[in-house]
């Protein structure tokens, strides 16, 4: 009687890389669960053209920039909840270890910048539609939250926000020594 061994982590990562090389669409959290990985592992398996990753130390500066972009969609996705808010991301300030969102937009909260280990600028299709998001990750590789570029009246990604998205991603990658 032969016993088949379970695939190693490296084998699972390679299978996922091959799958995502052909098709980047789908719910990344579901893929993470299916393959026994973190969300950050799954994002890292996407083709490199889809994402850039910077250190979480840029949390506050990224949040402050996003507050000037206009209407965005902020998503918190946990095992039991997918919470979405569409509207301007409020500005904030540091106090007592938190980045405290300040605004009258309907979104408020207290975010812990020290819990953010990585920030990913991600462009990929979702449900057949192109998306662009800034995703904030904790040290365990799971998502803290995601902020998606808004859409115009024709449901296309807003050109002004895409320009800011690309500029910010490039500038921070260069500051971190990961850019061209």
């Amino acid at each position: 009687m032969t016993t088949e061994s379970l695939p190693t982590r490296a084998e699972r990562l390679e299978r996922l890389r091959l799958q995502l090389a052909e098709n980047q669409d789908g719910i990344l959290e579901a893929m993470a669960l299916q393959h026994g990985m973190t969300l950050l592992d799954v994002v890292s398996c996407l083709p490199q053209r889809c994402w850039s990753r910077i250190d979480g130390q840029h949390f506050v500066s990224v949040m402050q920039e996003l507050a000037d972009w206009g209407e965005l969609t902020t998503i918190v996705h946990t095992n039991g909840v997918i919470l979405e808010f569409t509207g301007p991301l409020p500005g904030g300030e540091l106090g007592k270890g938190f980045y405290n969102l300040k605004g009258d937009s309907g979104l408020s909260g207290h975010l812990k910048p020290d819990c953010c280990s990585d920030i990913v600028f991600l462009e990929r299709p979702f449900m057949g539609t192109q998306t662009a998001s800034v995703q904030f990750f904790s040290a365990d590789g799971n998502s803290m939250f995601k902020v998606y570029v808004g859409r115009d009246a024709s449901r296309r990604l807003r050109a002004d926000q895409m320009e800011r998205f690309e500029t910010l991603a490039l500038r921070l990658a260069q500051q971190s020594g990961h850019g061209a």
Side-chain angles (χ1 to χ4, degrees):
M1 184 163 65
T2 57
T3 306
E4 245 184 78
S5 62
L6 295 174
T8 66
R9 175 176 164 72
E11 290 168 336
R12 292 191 323 265
L13 285 168
E14 185 57 27
R15 284 183 191 163
L16 188 55
R17 273 189 200 92
L18 293 172
Q19 173 187 337
L20 291 170
E22 289 187 28
N23 181 9
Q24 298 84 50
D25 205 332
I27 300 172
L28 300 181
E29 289 82 356
M31 291 178 203
L33 188 60
Q34 175 187 359
H35 292 276
M37 297 178 196
T38 69
L39 180 59
L40 188 55
D41 288 334
V42 173
V43 168
S44 298
C45 287
L46 286 162
Q48 184 61 54
R49 72 179 182 280
C50 296
W51 59 276
S52 65
R53 181 172 163 179
I54 61 167
D55 192 280
Q57 71 180 350
H58 298 287
F59 182 92
V60 172
S61 64
V62 171
M63 290 298 294
Q64 289 171 338
E65 293 222 20
L66 291 173
D68 292 331
W69 289 16
E71 189 170 280
L72 300 162
T73 298
T74 303
I75 297 178
V76 177
H77 186 158
T78 66
N79 288 338
V81 174
I82 301 174
L83 185 64
E84 299 181 18
F85 172 80
T86 299
L89 189 66
E93 60 186 35
L94 285 172
K96 299 184 180 181
F98 287 90
Y99 182 76
N100 300 293
L101 298 175
K102 307 262 185 204
D104 299 323
S105 68
L107 180 65
S108 63
H110 312 280
L111 313 173
K112 285 210 53 107
D114 291 348
C115 289
C116 184
S117 65
D118 298 275
I119 301 169
V120 173
F121 291 82
L122 178 62
E123 293 183 68
R124 71 179 192 98
F126 179 69
M127 298 180 75
T129 302
Q130 192 60 24
T131 66
S133 61
V134 182
Q135 303 198 8
F136 299 83
F137 290 90
S138 57
D140 63 5
N142 291 311
S143 174
M144 293 173 66
F145 61 98
K146 310 168 192 180
V147 179
Y148 283 81
V149 168
R151 297 192 177 277
D152 63 20
S154 300
R155 303 290 306 143
R156 288 186 300 261
L157 294 173
R158 285 184 43 181
D160 61 321
Q161 290 182 359
M162 281 306 298
E163 183 177 332
R164 294 176 99 166
F165 175 90
E166 292 163 359
T167 300
L168 181 60
L170 181 60
R171 179 170 47 89
L172 292 175
Q174 289 172 337
Q175 287 177 4
S176 300
H178 301 295

